[in-house]
Amino acid sequence: NAGVTQTPKFQVLKTGQSMTLQCAQDMNHNSMYWYRQDPGMGLRLIYYSASEGTTDKGEVPNGYNVSRLNKREFSLRLESAAPSQTSVYFCASAAGTGGETQYFGPGTRLLVL
Amino acid sequence: DQQVKQNSPSLSVQEGRISILNCDYTNSMFDYFLWYKKYPAEGPTFLISISSIKDKNEDGRFTVFLNKSAKHLSLHIVPSQPGDSAVYFCAASALWNNDMRFGAGTRLTVKP
């Protein structure tokens, strides 16, 4: 039982390049989330998916797209990376929505030059 | 706007003493509050939670207190242990939506 897994662990991009961050969970959770963590800012919600086939914007969605490929997988795509997207990205999942406890992956550290 | 605030970036306590981490929120619609613990190079892990119908929740050495009128919650760790050294995030959400808001975190150092 791996919980929430994320790939890659670390990535360096040049401005304008694109990439997809992958996330998978094996807990049969309905909800999945993408956050970014920046110094002094805590975690900020980028996008979430309350169930397979649905996605919604969070607090900071600009510059990102997501896909809920199936119940297990939720990917985050940066179409044209910018230095402001340098951050640590965390994926999380929860059994339900609202007040359900979220379980986090180990994070992806992204550096955009 | 930061709807959840942790005003102390860091806290240092002696092993065996009490650690008190504080959190304030501004959104009166929040009705579920959580504390997460984070070690370096790992994702946050759930520690303890409290719903707005309670004012206290206890789990072993960890107790969370909620003061709804003051929009304030605190996490007490008694006794503190060196393994508790980590960054602690306060989080809040409304039960009817997915938008969980996090504070900036407090780095706790427990000295042996």
Side-chain angles (χ1 to χ4, degrees):
Chain A
N1 188 344
V4 180
T5 56
Q6 292 183 236
T7 55
K9 285 187 168 35
F10 180 71
Q11 183 74 45
V12 179
L13 291 178
K14 294 181 179 177
T15 297
Q17 287 185 316
S18 62
M19 79 161 295
T20 299
L21 283 66
Q22 307 285 355
C23 174
Q25 53 91 8
D26 61 3
M27 295 176 280
N28 200 35
H29 283 169
N30 290 311
S31 300
M32 298 186 73
Y33 308 81
W34 275 106
Y35 291 89
R36 59 179 288 174
Q37 185 195 3
D38 301 295
M41 300 289 291
L43 286 84
R44 291 182 294 169
L45 182 64
I46 304 171
Y47 270 93
Y48 65 91
S49 169
S51 61
E52 187 178 350
T54 67
T55 61
D56 285 287
K57 294 178 180 179
E59 186 183 357
V60 288
N62 291 346
Y64 305 96
N65 285 302
V66 290
S67 295
R68 183 74 181 267
L69 305 169
N70 47 56
K71 192 172 186 180
R72 289 188 65 247
E73 298 171 291
F74 189 38
S75 62
L76 178 72
R77 182 159 179 85
L78 287 71
E79 290 292 352
S80 178
S84 61
Q85 295 178 304
T86 293
S87 189
V88 181
Y89 291 85
F90 290 102
C91 177
S93 70
T97 59
E100 290 278 352
T101 299
Q102 296 181 16
Y103 297 86
F104 286 81
T108 294
R109 187 174 296 275
L110 176 67
L111 175 61
V112 183
L113 301 174
Chain B
D1 65 344
Q2 258 195 307
Q3 298 184 29
V4 179
K5 298 179 183 177
Q6 293 176 257
N7 292 319
S8 297
S10 64
L11 174 68
S12 182
V13 299
Q14 209 64 37
E15 182 179 5
R17 306 295 286 265
I18 184 171
S19 295
I20 300 176
L21 293 86
N22 293 303
C23 178
D24 298 293
Y25 62 96
T26 58
N27 189 339
S28 57
M29 300 299 290
F30 289 146
D31 48 17
Y32 191 68
F33 306 88
L34 309 90
W35 285 93
Y36 283 84
K37 178 178 179 179
K38 185 183 180 305
Y39 293 116
E42 295 183 9
T45 55
F46 170 73
L47 189 59
I48 192 169
S49 64
I50 188 168
S51 73
S52 58
I53 62 172
K54 293 186 171 183
D55 55 17
K56 176 182 173 181
N57 189 27
E58 201 169 347
D59 184 2
R61 296 186 297 114
F62 303 92
T63 303
V64 56
F65 295 92
L66 175 63
N67 183 334
K68 284 181 63 181
S69 60
K71 294 191 178 67
H72 177 83
L73 64 155
S74 61
L75 174 68
H76 292 210
I77 306 174
V78 183
S80 301
Q81 299 174 353
D84 296 330
S85 296
V87 177
Y88 289 78
F89 290 100
C90 170
S93 72
L95 286 172
W96 49 269
N97 77 19
N98 281 283
D99 196 352
M100 186 172 291
R101 297 296 177 108
F102 285 78
T106 297
R107 182 178 301 279
L108 173 66
T109 302
V110 181
K111 297 179 178 177

